[in-house]
Amino acid sequence: MSARLAARRLALSGAPSSHPSIGTATRATVAASDPPPCTTLQRRHKWSLNPLKGWGSRSAKSRDAAQQSARDTAPELDDPKLRQHFLERNLRSHVEDNIFQDEIDSTSPGPAAAAPASGPKEAVVQKTRETMAMVADPNPRSRVRWQRNKVIQMVRNNGQLTKEDRIKMTERELVHKSHFLPTSLKKLVMLSRQIAGKPVDEAITQMRWSKKKMSAEMRYYLEEARDLAVAQRGMGLGKVNGESLPKPRKIMAKDGKWIAITDPTRIYVAQSWVGRGPWRGQELDYKGRGRHGLIQHPSTSFSVVLKEEKTRLREHDEGVAKKAAKGPWVHLPNRSIHGQRPYYSW
């Protein structure tokens, strides 16, 4: 399994570089000129100081230079001043080109209310915000540009939204794909059909007690997709936010079964499919009379689409409305008949 570590992006606003190759005079010149804000992308992963990185693709001199650059950049990631500067910019949203800065300033609390409350619970909440800041909003300037483009698009369309846009604004979903697994397409498709349409917790339970070899891998990716849906998209938080229904609603799913829904934000597996990957290898299959065949070992990927129960509620209501608007079925409607041939068909 590959390690998934988030990238750190430091939004620096006119701060001099801390790289050791820049002299003191150069730093003073840069600070005096006050350059425009810039965004520096810094990534740290397990191969940052790997001595074998790029072995065979570059010369020894270039590898030594890359290792030295990684060693010089790694301490900068742990600089408390740069980290504090990033947290202040990210948490307080003081971005120069933010088109919503007026609204943020108007709704911001006063100095008395902005003072942090004392207590262990408030300290834990503040620490959680600081920890999640670099992952939840790693690049504030990109987010502001995206918001500006959406406002421009809304103005150009005169405020009119299509049905797809309205659905995307009210319903959340997450598409997650696994790595290529060492199994065949026919074996993995049976597990994929087994979890389609089920709540994600029930699908994980099915994979937990399944006797299939790849059920453990599918369980891992289902848990990963569920965690990403909750952390990144805010799905499945109906009970926490008080969005539960007063009494359960019964709807008919696509497979014809009636289900009762109490939490409209419950996550379920809307779609599940598999895809063929590259061949992992091949070997000879020895047969009789001096003949032989070729055995190829396949690899298959697994993809899921997680949605909330709001989607199934909307689809059920649309189906009921369509059936009611259709009207009663008439055996011989009173309309003209077209396409009759004026000659015999034999």
Side-chain angles (χ1 to χ4, degrees):
M1 301 298 173
S2 61
R4 295 178 176 84
L5 302 178
R8 292 187 177 184
R9 296 190 180 189
L10 306 180
L12 306 180
S13 176
S17 175
S18 60
H19 198 276
S21 61
I22 302 179
T24 308
T26 307
R27 296 179 185 175
T29 306
V30 172
S33 60
D34 194 13
C38 61
T39 302
T40 305
L41 174 61
Q42 297 180 344
R43 296 183 181 273
R44 175 196 290 178
H45 45 79
K46 61 181 181 179
W47 305 110
S48 296
L49 303 178
N50 186 13
L52 299 180
K53 182 179 180 182
W55 184 264
S57 60
R58 296 182 297 181
S59 62
K61 185 176 181 181
S62 60
R63 286 197 305 271
D64 296 340
Q67 294 174 16
Q68 184 63 29
S69 176
R71 294 190 187 95
D72 295 339
T73 308
E76 186 179 356
L77 297 177
D78 298 328
D79 190 356
K81 295 183 179 180
L82 295 180
R83 182 180 179 87
Q84 184 66 24
H85 183 67
F86 171 79
L87 292 177
E88 290 178 359
R89 291 179 56 82
N90 200 3
L91 295 179
R92 301 176 186 175
S93 301
H94 287 305
V95 185
E96 289 77 1
D97 55 353
N98 193 346
I99 60 176
F100 305 104
Q101 191 62 38
D102 299 336
E103 300 179 4
I104 295 174
D105 296 338
S106 61
T107 58
S108 60
S118 60
K121 185 176 180 180
E122 289 76 9
V124 171
V125 172
Q126 183 66 18
K127 187 64 176 177
T128 304
R129 289 187 60 195
E130 294 179 359
T131 305
M132 294 296 296
M134 294 185 180
V135 179
D137 194 8
N139 195 344
R141 295 185 179 278
S142 298
R143 174 179 53 81
V144 169
R145 279 196 299 270
W146 179 83
Q147 292 176 350
R148 183 190 293 111
N149 293 336
K150 287 301 178 181
V151 172
I152 295 174
Q153 182 181 1
M154 182 179 64
V155 172
R156 287 177 178 175
N157 296 336
N158 198 15
Q160 297 181 356
L161 299 176
T162 61
K163 181 180 179 181
E164 292 76 9
D165 295 337
R166 288 194 299 269
I167 290 176
K168 290 181 180 180
M169 293 175 62
T170 56
E171 301 175 6
R172 303 182 180 94
E173 67 175 25
L174 176 76
V175 183
H176 190 60
K177 180 181 178 181
S178 68
H179 295 285
F180 291 113
L181 305 177
T183 183
S184 64
L185 197 72
K186 294 182 179 179
K187 295 178 182 178
L188 198 62
V189 73
M190 304 306 296
L191 294 176
S192 176
R193 293 176 180 176
Q194 183 179 352
I195 65 175
K198 290 184 173 59
V200 64
D201 295 332
E202 184 179 348
I204 292 174
T205 304
Q206 291 286 336
M207 295 297 101
R208 182 192 300 272
W209 301 106
S210 177
K211 296 182 181 180
K212 300 294 184 180
K213 182 180 179 181
M214 286 294 112
S215 61
E217 295 290 338
M218 293 190 66
R219 173 192 166 194
Y220 168 79
Y221 285 108
L222 282 174
E223 292 176 350
E224 187 179 42
R226 178 196 59 186
D227 297 342
L228 290 175
V230 174
Q232 294 183 354
R233 308 298 170 86
M235 301 168 60
L237 301 178
K239 295 182 179 179
V240 180
N241 299 330
E243 300 179 8
S244 301
L245 300 177
K247 56 181 180 180
R249 283 193 56 185
K250 289 187 176 181
I251 63 173
M252 180 180 292
K254 291 183 178 180
D255 55 358
K257 297 181 180 180
W258 289 87
I259 56 176
I261 298 177
T262 57
D263 185 7
T265 62
R266 185 180 64 173
I267 306 174
Y268 75 99
V269 182
Q271 299 179 26
S272 175
W273 69 90
V274 297
R276 190 185 302 275
W279 299 106
R280 295 181 291 111
Q282 58 187 8
E283 60 178 331
L284 292 177
D285 182 18
Y286 297 98
K287 302 180 182 299
R289 298 185 180 182
R291 295 178 297 178
H292 64 84
L294 191 63
I295 299 177
Q296 291 182 325
H297 302 286
S299 63
T300 312
S301 64
F302 162 68
S303 303
V304 289
V305 177
L306 301 183
K307 294 184 180 181
E308 294 180 335
E309 295 292 350
K310 295 179 182 179
T311 304
R312 282 207 276 208
L313 292 173
R314 176 184 57 81
E315 292 175 353
H316 176 75
D317 296 340
E318 289 180 355
V320 172
K322 183 178 180 181
K323 186 177 181 180
K326 190 175 182 180
W329 178 75
V330 181
H331 182 64
L332 294 175
N334 186 12
R335 64 172 182 264
S336 58
I337 301 177
H338 302 278
Q340 298 297 316
R341 292 175 292 183
Y343 46 86
Y344 294 104
S345 59
W346 59 77

